Amino acid sequence: QVQLVESGGGLVQVGGFLKLSCASSRGIASFNFVGWYRRAAGKEREMVARMTDGGRREYANNEEGRFTISKDNGKNIIYLTLRNLKPEDTAVYYCYAADVGPPRSFWGQGVQVTVSS
């Protein structure tokens, strides 16, 4: 069973910066996709950013300027850097990793990010 453990969340003021980390018990280079989702209170879960095993990055809602997904294969850690944070970024952020064949996905327990105005 793969375990993903997020860290780095917290309370930050508007315009602030956070770097979330997700440590994997399995080598992240072996996943076809890794990424981050978030769920704000009362809303559906939404994709924030993801990366393929080939290194292609995709961001939701044109947030590439504020969010950056990266990974360190040697340390088996997936990162999400959040810049210029806004109150609407307040949510629980979840790390995930996925295989294509056979299709399987793995999720972390989530980490809270709260942006105060």
Side-chain angles (χ1 to χ4, degrees):
Q1 181 69 17
V2 174
Q3 290 188 326
L4 301 173
V5 180
E6 300 98 334
S7 61
L11 175 65
V12 63
Q13 292 187 333
V14 168
F17 166 98
L18 280 175
K19 187 172 185 178
L20 307 182
S21 300
C22 173
S24 172
S25 63
R26 173 181 141 185
I28 60 173
S30 66
F31 293 112
N32 295 115
F33 295 91
V34 296
W36 294 86
Y37 277 67
R38 69 184 181 186
R39 176 177 285 164
K43 295 187 177 181
E44 296 291 321
R45 186 175 63 186
E46 62 179 357
M47 191 271 286
V48 177
R50 62 187 177 192
M51 180 186 291
T52 69
D53 52 2
R56 181 173 59 87
R57 295 172 172 84
E58 182 180 346
Y59 298 90
N61 303 324
N62 296 316
E63 293 288 13
E64 184 172 357
R66 295 197 304 128
F67 300 160
T68 303
I69 185 171
S70 59
K71 60 180 180 174
D72 186 327
N73 288 344
K75 296 181 178 178
N76 292 322
I77 298 177
I78 307 157
Y79 299 102
L80 182 67
T81 303
L82 309 171
R83 303 177 183 84
N84 190 22
L85 283 160
K86 306 174 182 179
E88 52 264 41
D89 295 319
T90 295
V92 178
Y93 285 70
Y94 298 90
C95 167
Y96 87 101
D99 297 325
V100 173
R104 297 180 297 182
S105 61
F106 309 95
W107 293 86
Q109 81 287 353
V111 63
Q112 179 70 46
V113 171
T114 302
V115 184
S116 65
S117 56

